[in-house]
Amino acid sequence: MNEIELKKIKQKALEDKIPIIMDDTLEVIDKLLEEKEPSKILEIGTAVGYSAICFSKYLTNGGRIDTIEREEDRVLQARDNIKRAEVEDKINIFYGDAVEILPTLNEQYDVVFIDAAKGKYPFFLKEALRMLKSDGMIIADNVLYKGYVMSDYNKHKQRTAVRNLREFLQELQNNPELEVEILEVGDGLAIARKK
Ligand code: SAH
Ligand code: MG
């Protein structure tokens, strides 16, 4: 992987106000992936490919990341970025809505990273669980959504997203097969491991 290109990709994404993964969140995920040594990762929400490129260095030999993005211009930028970072043999982008694409996938993943439309997290969880290996791990970003999820203030316009994030966290925590941690890094990070 080309680290200089990675820095440029990050810089441009920040300039363009693309909501890429935050540094402190990435630090946590780096450690998890280093320990896990995944061969297959599923990412929901590619944006311009920054997180996928970062994760790709933890893949075992021949490993692969499948990542889904619904905005065409982001898919095009992501393809370009992935080439510049020299990891195009490790990352496969699906262009389309994850709500439509996920049900067509039938692979087994070591890690599923959820980082897309907050209102769809309960659906993403269901699909992630269906494709998670028996020792797999689900990581979800933005689960505390600027603190809205844990506050009782309920009048903001993001109400549907908040309701669905709460439902997502409930389902994670009520699932007897999962061991769950919710961290206050970045915008809130949920880590769920199969027991
Ligand atoms: N993981 C990226 C950031 C993703 S930002 C990184 O850290 O570098 C969230 C992205 O998810 C946006 O680009 C948005 O277009 C995409 N997205 C949101 N809902 C989606 C959906 N239902 N299907 C596919 N992509 C979606
Ligand atoms: Mg995010």
Side-chain angles (χ1 to χ4, degrees):
M1 123 131 77
N2 187 326
E3 297 277 352
I4 296 161
E5 285 301 321
L6 182 65
K7 283 221 175 82
K8 289 191 204 158
I9 290 161
K10 177 182 176 185
Q11 212 45 52
K12 167 121 178 39
L14 291 172
E15 275 163 26
D16 294 345
K17 304 237 176 334
I18 306 223
I20 57 169
I21 194 163
M22 291 165 92
D23 288 338
D24 51 352
T25 308
L26 183 59
E27 236 174 78
V28 173
I29 298 178
D30 275 339
K31 291 203 188 87
L32 293 170
L33 295 181
E34 192 170 15
E35 198 178 313
K36 181 112 200 98
E37 301 181 357
S39 65
K40 301 260 328 265
I41 298 176
L42 174 64
E43 175 181 71
I44 308 171
T46 317
V48 294
Y50 176 70
S51 53
I53 294 167
C54 292
F55 299 164
S56 68
K57 70 169 174 244
Y58 299 103
L59 289 171
T60 53
N61 255 338
R64 198 182 76 220
I65 300 177
D66 287 336
T67 180
I68 309 172
E69 174 57 50
R70 69 178 169 192
E71 283 191 30
E72 188 179 17
D73 58 320
R74 292 195 174 171
V75 170
L76 295 175
Q77 273 194 69
R79 290 217 171 100
D80 188 45
N81 289 338
I82 287 163
K83 205 176 264 173
R84 280 168 48 207
E86 296 165 7
V87 289
E88 65 261 57
D89 53 335
K90 298 179 178 184
I91 302 173
N92 167 44
I93 305 177
F94 290 99
Y95 167 39
D97 195 318
V99 173
E100 280 155 33
I101 289 176
L102 285 167
T104 70
L105 302 180
N106 259 312
E107 310 252 352
Q108 290 285 297
Y109 295 95
D110 301 287
V111 176
V112 179
F113 179 54
I114 302 174
D115 191 18
K118 299 171 188 76
K120 299 282 157 49
Y121 272 36
F123 177 77
F124 295 157
L125 175 61
K126 218 169 46 181
E127 289 296 300
L129 287 168
R130 179 176 66 79
M131 292 186 277
L132 199 64
K133 287 188 190 169
S134 58
D135 61 347
M137 176 163 61
I138 295 171
I139 305 173
D141 192 24
N142 309 96
V143 297
L144 298 178
Y145 197 10
K146 302 176 181 167
Y148 299 151
V149 171
M150 293 299 180
S151 77
D152 49 14
Y153 181 69
N154 227 341
K155 284 197 181 123
H156 38 75
K157 58 181 193 281
Q158 298 85 356
R159 193 186 295 164
T160 311
V162 170
R163 185 175 5 92
N164 285 299
L165 284 171
R166 284 182 185 146
E167 184 188 325
F168 167 81
L169 291 176
Q170 279 288 314
E171 278 175 19
L172 264 193
Q173 281 163 325
N174 292 341
N175 188 319
E177 288 181 21
L178 298 176
E179 215 165 74
V180 179
E181 277 178 280
I182 316 260
L183 305 183
E184 283 181 42
V185 289
D187 198 24
L189 190 71
I191 301 161
R193 295 180 176 84
K194 273 212 183 165
K195 282 183 186 159

